[in-house]
Amino acid sequence: MVLNLTINRMKKSNLHLFLISIITLLFICSNSYSQTFEEFKKQEQLKFQAYTQQQQKEINQLKIEFAEYIQKRDKEWIEYLQKEWKNFSVYKGDRVPANPKPVIVPEYSPIEDKPEPVTPPRIMPEETPDLILPLPVPKIVKPNRKPIEEKEKSVSQKIKFYSNELDIEYDPFISDFHLTHITNTSISKFWQEMSKVNYSLTIERLLQAKTKFNLNDYGYYKLVSEFAKKVYTTDNNTERLLTWFLLVRSGLGARAAMHERKVLLLLPIKQHVYENRYLKIDGKKYYIFPESKVSSIYTYEKDYQESDNLLDYSISKSINLSDNETEKQLTFSFKNETHSLTVKYNPDIVDFLTEYPKMELDVYLNAATSVQVKESIALALKPLIDNLNEVEATNLILRFVQLAFDYKTDPEQFGYEKYFFVEETLFYPFSDCEDRSILFSYLVRELIGLKVVALEYPGHVSTAVCFASPPDGNYLIYKNEKYVVADPTYVYAPVGIAMNKYKELSPKIHAVKNDKANKITEDIGWDFAEKNGLHKGTNSGNSKILADGSVLLTGYYKGTVNWGTSLLKSSNDKLNCMVAKINSGKIPVWARNIDATGNVVGLCIEETLNDNIVVAGVYSGTLNIDNKQISATEGKADLFMASFTKEGNFRWINHARLDTLPQISSISFSTVFNDSGKCEETSYVNYLDDDLRKGLIITAEGKIIYSGQINELLALTGVNETKEFASYSSFAEISNILQSEIDKLINQNIDSSIAGLLAAIHLVKNLGYNLSGKQIQQLFDKSNPEFKNTYSNVYETIGKINSIENNSGIIKLKVNNGRNLKLGKIKISDESTLSVAELPDGNVKLEILSGIQVGKMVVWYDLNYIKTNASEGDLLFDYDTDHAQAWVNIKNDLLY
């Protein structure tokens, strides 16, 4: 049987100990039933046995379908590779723009401690060319590898990846193939032979490392290349073919190429790469690796998958190679006061970035930093600006960048042009105007949350900042907003002063992504919404800022909501979806209700290219809006897509038919709708794709794409929860239930330090009761009396929990009589919410919907999610808009 990918055609530190304690409590209940523990245990064993049997049946069927699909696809691909390849001309790599810069950094006079003459501002031209950030390119999941063959033998290859020693499992037959000559036939044969081995095991391990280190596509390419070099240490051609094979099987659009007796790699990179030769196929640039001085090259014309799987070399997430750090002292003066700061950077990240291809300026302007840079800079500078207004805070940061770093042009320092990532500016002894603009832009966005653009002139790069109350000075208008010049290279120049040489010039304006500023605006909208009864169903994509400053919101509510002139009332006691708009003054404009016989939760909202609105959400039962109904199969959940006009008038609603899929946790999917509401395609793979850009995307062609994972959708629908679960008044019986689950997990080789946590989380999925902190303390007093003395701070804080509520997958914490709870580096606000998704390997993911932060002193970051690694006893904490991450071992880091 061949897998049909289109469903429409288918017929079938103490940092975290407190949080751990909270999670562990979620399963406990206080209602009284007469059922005994033994009866409960017997019932649940029977239920679990039937559930696991059904799941295994569905998993086995999926494996058969995917294996057959991949086998058919490989046969076609092998035949295609055997055909005649074409000769393509190679273009020389473009050089990094080398505009002459001043050898000596200019200084502004008079300096700040002298009276400054009042001069009329020089106004820059309002019409300026800009470099707008491109729309995100969605990655649509497509099956590209066969299921892992569990029974096959494997060996382990040690590789060094910066300061990390990795053991990558692989099928020993992978190392048996050697090319004797280079032809398209021999390359086709290589693919054929590699496709017979258990290659999916290796890809699984490589992708796990990619996730662990939070790598982008460049980092993953480096990781795969290092593995291939170890497998074929003396055979460069076969090494490159193995890299190509593994990249393609990982869902990336790499191609193999030939030049004389060499195999080369062609990588279609989304961004522009300087000083690297490339060829063009169908308008796309394919960069040659390793760099070779060739004038032509042989390759083929189409990808393994018929989709544009470009490699994204942007650094949108905080790369997490290691905990290594190096300190640097930086000194500057501001308002006659000298400040000496200690900042930290990660030498592994510096090594990683030093090897990075030379990219376009926008990559550097929009790059995330390491955790070490992010947190040390915040701790150093935040206390200095917290009591300052926006302009003065920006002036302090501007003076920091102007004075704390020595100036030297790139040709003087390196002999060639080179842009710096923030980490490199901290590492190298000198920096020039581009580097300072990149650093300043990052600091203003990260620490103050203001919008910034970069200004590119002939021979100079500067910046401009958008203030709520703009000061006088040189400025420009960008997208109907006033941006005031702030030049990080013009020493002593405050905000509003541009170099005389550039005051009358029109710069190229580089848009800079500002997730921090957007989040501040969205959070203000959500603060208003939460107070009025609308709640988040997910922690990203749930709001959209429009050009006029108004905000679109979607999520869920229960009961009745007054939204300005709109009164929304749920038709049952389930969660209802709400779609709403508030204006820039946070005044309600309109609201719409979508209800269902089961839960219905809005997840993401976007604006389409023709100014309509589209909402994606999840539901169970029958969904209704304006007498239009869609239904999910009984006992299953589905994804809906709905569209409204900008005035809130209903346009259409449709569903993705995910309910035709086995609703097990190990499925990633993408669904494509057109602007008329037709579901054009839904594709899926039988594994979780952590690299998938989850959420709602509008493409440049106007297509509406939602990508996600089944397990996370199920967490919000309640369809897999037991509605009539036993609960107990006896503490002894509660302890028995928990201990029984813990014993089962330990017998499955789960690390004992995390078994209790997982046991509690497994049970919370099936319980919907309320509990107070005082009751929890009583349980500890009876079942674990040493806890009170061993973890006295945790024990005391638990008593401040008013209640824990589990409502159809949304868990709410009411704490401390409405005041925040704080312990160590965790802060929990009253009525914080989270959801729990079970993963296919027995681990869990806790998505924090609202109210839980990590940090210390004056620096706090929103927590995005927590993942467990049961075999190692680890927890992964993902936080802030750049998805900074920290791994914590329960036994070694917490239980001491």
Side-chain angles (χ1 to χ4, degrees), residues 252-266:
L252 297 172
R255 295 190 185 183
M258 299 180 294
H259 177 72
E260 296 178 351
R261 297 179 59 81
K262 286 185 178 180
V263 171
L264 297 171
L265 280 174
L266 301 179

Side-chain angles (χ1 to χ4, degrees), residues 9-279:
R9 300 198 302 267
M10 292 175 60
K11 302 298 182 184
K12 2 184 216 168
S13 55
N14 269 350
L15 169 59
H16 315 304
L17 181 57
F18 176 55
L19 188 55
I20 294 169
S21 303
I22 294 297
I23 297 165
T24 306
L25 306 171
L26 297 178
F27 77 96
I28 307 173
C29 52
S30 58
N31 298 2
S32 296
Y33 284 84
S34 58
Q35 188 180 33
T36 68
F37 170 69
E38 290 304 320
E39 290 172 338
F40 163 82
K41 185 175 178 181
K42 184 177 180 180
Q43 274 186 5
E44 294 316 304
Q45 285 175 337
L46 291 174
K47 288 181 184 178
F48 182 74
Q49 185 178 10
Y51 173 73
T52 53
Q53 287 176 347
Q54 179 61 28
Q55 271 221 332
Q56 192 57 51
K57 180 180 177 181
E58 293 177 345
I59 290 170
N60 292 340
Q61 183 59 38
L62 270 181
K63 286 183 176 181
I64 292 171
E65 292 182 13
F66 276 93
E68 290 176 348
Y69 171 81
I70 293 297
Q71 185 178 25
K72 180 178 182 295
R73 187 71 186 88
D74 279 349
K75 183 175 182 297
E76 296 169 349
W77 181 242
I78 291 165
E79 291 174 355
Y80 171 75
L81 290 177
Q82 290 173 344
K83 297 177 181 178
E84 183 177 353
W85 290 18
K86 292 187 177 180
N87 191 20
F88 290 86
S89 296
V90 171
Y91 297 84
K92 289 184 179 180
D94 302 325
R95 298 187 66 83
V96 179
N99 296 316
K101 304 181 187 72
V103 176
I104 299 174
V105 64
E107 290 190 11
Y108 171 72
S109 182
I111 60 174
E112 196 173 64
D113 57 1
K114 294 181 181 179
E116 186 172 319
V118 178
T119 56
R122 302 288 291 265
I123 302 175
M124 290 185 172
E126 297 194 4
E127 295 298 327
T128 56
D130 61 337
L131 299 177
I132 300 172
L133 292 173
L135 289 171
V137 177
K139 177 185 173 186
I140 300 177
V141 296
K142 298 277 188 180
N144 45 48
R145 60 184 185 268
K146 63 186 179 183
I148 294 176
E149 298 160 15
E150 302 287 355
K151 295 182 180 180
E152 296 293 327
K153 292 182 179 179
S154 65
V155 294
S156 182
Q157 176 62 62
K158 288 186 179 298
I159 67 171
K160 181 76 178 289
F161 193 66
Y162 299 94
S163 64
N164 302 284
E165 295 280 352
L166 301 178
D167 287 320
I168 304 297
E169 283 184 273
Y170 71 100
D171 186 327
F173 289 108
I174 281 181
S175 60
D176 284 354
F177 193 92
H178 289 272
L179 292 175
T180 56
H181 55 286
I182 309 299
T183 65
N184 57 328
T185 302
S186 65
I187 292 174
S188 173
K189 180 69 173 176
F190 175 87
W191 184 281
Q192 183 177 19
E193 293 303 313
M194 283 295 165
S195 297
K196 296 176 182 177
V197 306
N198 189 13
Y199 60 82
S200 294
L201 173 65
T202 301
I203 292 173
E204 187 81 10
R205 298 297 178 263
L206 289 167
L207 289 173
Q208 286 172 356
K210 181 178 190 285
T211 300
K212 178 179 180 180
F213 300 134
N214 225 11
L215 297 175
N216 64 355
D217 287 343
Y218 168 74
Y220 186 64
Y221 159 67
K222 291 279 292 182
L223 180 67
V224 172
S225 179
E226 286 300 314
F227 171 75
K229 287 175 183 175
K230 287 293 185 180
V231 174
Y232 288 101
T233 55
T234 60
D235 186 345
N236 291 337
N237 285 330
T238 313
E239 166 226 312
R240 289 167 195 161
L241 282 182
L242 179 58
T243 301
W244 162 66
F245 179 86
L246 294 173
L247 288 175
V248 173
R249 290 295 193 189
S250 300
L252 297 172
R255 295 190 185 183
M258 299 180 294
H259 177 72
E260 296 178 351
R261 297 179 59 81
K262 286 185 178 180
V263 171
L264 297 171
L265 280 174
L266 301 179
L267 301 182
I269 299 171
K270 176 182 175 183
Q271 293 77 18
H272 186 73
V273 179
Y274 290 115
E275 298 180 10
N276 209 108
R277 293 183 180 236
Y278 61 91
L279 55 89

Side-chain angles (χ1 to χ4, degrees), residues 2 72 107 111 203 238 279 301 307 381 443 445 473 486 495 619 633 649 662 686 695 702 739 757 779 782 845 875:
V2 177
K72 180 178 182 295
E107 290 190 11
I111 60 174
I203 292 173
T238 313
L279 55 89
E301 289 189 287
S307 59
L381 286 174
L443 294 176
R445 288 177 288 136
V495 168
Y619 75 102
T633 303
N649 297 318
N686 65 327
Q739 191 60 54
L757 171 62
L779 176 64
K782 185 172 183 67
K845 179 179 179 181
L875 298 176

Side-chain angles (χ1 to χ4, degrees), residues 240-372:
R240 289 167 195 161
L241 282 182
L242 179 58
T243 301
W244 162 66
F245 179 86
L246 294 173
L247 288 175
V248 173
R249 290 295 193 189
S250 300
L252 297 172
R255 295 190 185 183
M258 299 180 294
H259 177 72
E260 296 178 351
R261 297 179 59 81
K262 286 185 178 180
V263 171
L264 297 171
L265 280 174
L266 301 179
L267 301 182
I269 299 171
K270 176 182 175 183
Q271 293 77 18
H272 186 73
V273 179
Y274 290 115
E275 298 180 10
N276 209 108
R277 293 183 180 236
Y278 61 91
L279 55 89
K280 290 183 179 179
I281 303 176
D282 294 333
K284 285 194 298 185
K285 289 183 179 179
Y286 286 79
Y287 292 93
I288 301 172
F289 290 92
E291 169 64 9
S292 301
K293 294 182 179 180
V294 296
S295 59
S296 64
I297 200 170
Y298 281 90
T299 190
Y300 45 91
E301 289 189 287
K302 71 177 185 179
D303 290 321
Y304 177 74
Q305 291 288 3
E306 294 177 2
S307 59
D308 294 332
N309 289 329
L310 303 177
L311 280 74
D312 188 348
Y313 275 22
S314 65
I315 305 178
S316 59
K317 295 181 178 181
S318 183
I319 295 171
N320 188 26
L321 286 178
S322 69
D323 294 328
N324 297 336
E325 58 186 36
T326 300
E327 292 187 351
K328 186 171 184 175
Q329 294 297 126
L330 297 170
T331 303
F332 75 105
S333 60
F334 182 71
K335 289 188 178 298
N336 298 319
E337 186 175 354
T338 299
H339 303 281
S340 184
L341 310 179
T342 300
V343 297
K344 300 176 182 179
Y345 60 86
N346 187 320
D348 284 337
I349 301 293
V350 172
D351 290 343
F352 176 83
L353 298 175
T354 299
E355 300 170 346
Y356 221 80
K358 294 182 177 66
M359 310 294 293
E360 55 192 326
L361 182 60
D362 300 84
V363 173
Y364 301 83
L365 285 165
N366 292 287
T369 67
S370 68
V371 170
Q372 291 82 1

Side-chain angles (χ1 to χ4, degrees), residues 834-853:
L834 57 98
S835 64
V836 181
E838 297 190 46
L839 304 177
D841 56 4
N843 285 295
V844 296
K845 179 179 179 181
L846 307 178
E847 183 174 11
I848 311 304
L849 304 181
S850 66
I852 301 180
Q853 296 179 306

